Amino acid sequence: MTRKRVFIAPSILASDFGELRNTVKKMNGWGIDRIHIDVMDGHFVPNITIGPQVISSIRSATDIPFETHLMIEEPHRYVKEFIDAGSDIVIVHCEAERNATKSLNLIKRYGAYAGIAINPDTDFESVKHYLPKVDTFLVMSVHPGFGGQKFMKESLSKVKQARNRIDQLGCETLISVDGGIDVKTGRMAVAAGADELVAGTAIFKSRNVLATIKKLRESR
Ligand code: DX5
Ligand code: ZN
């Protein structure tokens, strides 16, 4: 069952980290559903961003749910810290550990919503068994590590596969698409079955943020 409304999750990776707290405060007026926080460790991906300390320091600036996208190795070692810091949804990569079940169970045990992310080079078949166990299934439409990359159209088939499987199972798992999302590619992702659009560059570098968010939301 596709949701009636498209969820919008701006990724703060494209924002000015020196202004982060003020940015998050401003986001209160954007009518968005989640704030997407990209955590990178320099091992799982060739870039380093922020950790739980920064997340806890911006937590009091908003009530909007924090969706923390962990692009780190051995995520099970850190999920508790990210939840204690204020993450409402924690997404781990299926490629980060041999079996993501341990991390997913820990996330739920500590009271957050659990998500699994899949890289462009990973087959849907190898991860479909996680679908009934997660709240969010995040399809990467770029190779993770950096914002501002070009949307990979090949990822749309994975979105379709996930949509079919979720509908077959009748579960509530939300399909999110992350990477290179703008008004045009957002529409393609939603047409393929996405429920949520993660967008960094398209929102933060937009001349009219509210208008861009509105257009992204109207992707359906
Ligand atoms: C990439 C991150 C994305 C990124 C998206 O590794 O997971 O969330 O911030 O940025 P844009 O929208 O610029 O592709
Ligand atoms: Zn992300």
Side-chain angles (χ1 to χ4, degrees):
M1 174 203 68
T2 320
R3 283 168 177 76
K4 284 198 190 79
R5 211 163 66 78
V6 178
F7 278 24
I8 305 298
S11 161
I12 55 169
L13 186 63
S15 74
D16 175 356
F17 277 12
E19 287 291 324
L20 199 50
R21 201 181 155 78
N22 286 334
T23 304
V24 171
K25 276 189 190 160
K26 258 190 236 157
M27 292 169 92
N28 287 322
W30 289 3
I32 54 174
D33 303 280
R34 297 170 169 190
I35 293 178
H36 185 89
I37 302 174
D38 289 305
V39 174
M40 307 184 187
D41 67 351
H43 291 278
F44 183 71
V45 287
N47 193 8
I48 301 176
T49 56
I50 58 162
Q53 213 177 340
V54 174
I55 296 179
S56 68
S57 68
I58 55 172
R59 183 60 282 189
S60 60
T62 184
D63 290 328
I64 300 168
F66 282 175
E67 171 181 279
T68 301
H69 177 191
L70 295 181
M71 285 160 276
I72 63 173
E73 285 178 3
E74 300 196 69
H76 71 271
R77 291 175 56 200
Y78 303 98
V79 292
K80 184 173 186 299
E81 281 178 63
F82 281 100
I83 293 165
D84 289 345
S87 304
D88 300 279
I89 302 133
V90 176
I91 301 173
V92 295
H93 267 265
C94 60
E95 302 88 358
E97 286 174 306
R98 268 245 301 279
N99 187 344
T101 306
K102 186 174 175 184
S103 291
L104 297 174
N105 287 343
L106 282 175
I107 295 167
K108 290 184 217 168
R109 188 188 310 158
Y110 295 126
Y113 292 102
I116 191 113
I118 176 169
N119 278 342
D121 291 341
T122 305
D123 280 346
F124 175 72
E125 289 300 312
S126 62
V127 298
K128 65 177 187 194
H129 62 284
Y130 291 120
L131 282 176
K133 299 182 192 157
V134 294
D135 302 286
T136 297
F137 183 71
L138 185 137
V139 177
M140 288 304 302
S141 40
V142 296
H143 293 291
F146 300 92
Q149 302 181 74
K150 192 172 177 291
F151 180 81
M152 297 169 73
K153 284 201 182 100
E154 308 89 279
S155 62
L156 291 171
S157 66
K158 224 175 277 174
V159 177
K160 283 182 198 149
Q161 283 172 299
R163 178 81 273 150
N164 289 339
R165 187 81 189 127
I166 288 168
D167 291 348
Q168 253 172 25
L169 292 167
C171 57
E172 291 282 301
T173 308
L174 176 144
I175 303 173
S176 182
V177 182
D178 182 9
I181 292 291
D182 57 23
V183 172
K184 189 171 154 223
T185 57
R187 206 173 294 138
M188 291 156 73
V190 171
D195 303 294
E196 177 184 86
L197 300 174
V198 175
T201 306
I203 291 178
F204 283 97
K205 307 291 184 230
S206 162
R207 264 180 291 164
N208 188 339
V209 170
L210 292 181
T212 302
I213 290 171
K214 186 166 182 280
K215 279 188 203 150
L216 286 169
R217 208 186 265 302
E218 286 163 0
S219 298
R220 177 170 291 131

